Amino acid sequence: MQTALQLMWFGYYDTAKIEAKANNKDIMIVLTGSEWCKPCVKMKKNVFENQEFIDYATERFVIFEVNLDRHWDMDSKVYKDYSYFKDKYQSNALPTLIILGSDETKKAVISEKLTSFEKTMEHLKQIK
C-alpha cells in the first residue's frame, strides 16, 4: 500500500529557492490568510488537501507559504514577506499563487478561481 504524500511548506524564501534550484523545481509562492480569508479556507480544503494536487505539487514545486494572521503585525516577517511579494508581482488578492522558475523568473500569477480544484489544476498545468 502506497502512503499518501504530504506537501512540504517552506517558511523562508531563501530556503525554498535553494531547494528549488537543487531539485530543478519551480517555486510556488502562496499568499494566503488560511484561517480567516473565506476563499483561502476553501482553497486549502478543496485544493491543498486534495491528494491529486499534493502528488502533482510535490513532483513539480517547492512551496513557500506567506500566511497572514487575521490581525497582522506590520513589523512581522510574514507581513514583510507578504508586502514584498504582493508588490513585486502586483497582486492585491488573497489567495494568490505566484509561480517562479528555479531561477526566479516569473511564470504566472494566479488569483482567480483558486477555490476550485479543477480550475487551479487547469491553471497550473498550462504553465511551462
Side-chain angles (χ1 to χ4, degrees), residues 61-77:
F61 299 107
V62 170
I63 302 173
F64 169 63
E65 180 183 44
V66 180
N67 191 355
L68 287 173
D69 290 328
R70 179 186 301 269
H71 305 287
W72 59 74
D73 172 1
M74 293 178 86
D75 292 325
S76 72
K77 176 197 170 308

Side-chain angles (χ1 to χ4, degrees), residues 38-67:
K38 288 185 194 259
C40 300
V41 170
K42 280 185 175 179
M43 178 181 68
K44 181 179 175 184
K45 181 178 185 287
N46 297 341
V47 179
F48 294 148
E49 294 176 1
N50 182 300
Q51 193 61 50
E52 186 179 334
F53 173 82
I54 293 168
D55 294 343
Y56 180 78
T58 300
E59 186 72 27
R60 170 128 191 241
F61 299 107
V62 170
I63 302 173
F64 169 63
E65 180 183 44
V66 180
N67 191 355

Side-chain angles (χ1 to χ4, degrees), residues 14-15 37 49 60-61 67 69 81 95 100 107 121 123:
D14 288 342
T15 308
C37 159
E49 294 176 1
R60 170 128 191 241
F61 299 107
N67 191 355
D69 290 328
D81 284 346
L100 308 177
K107 292 189 170 191
M121 290 301 291
H123 284 303

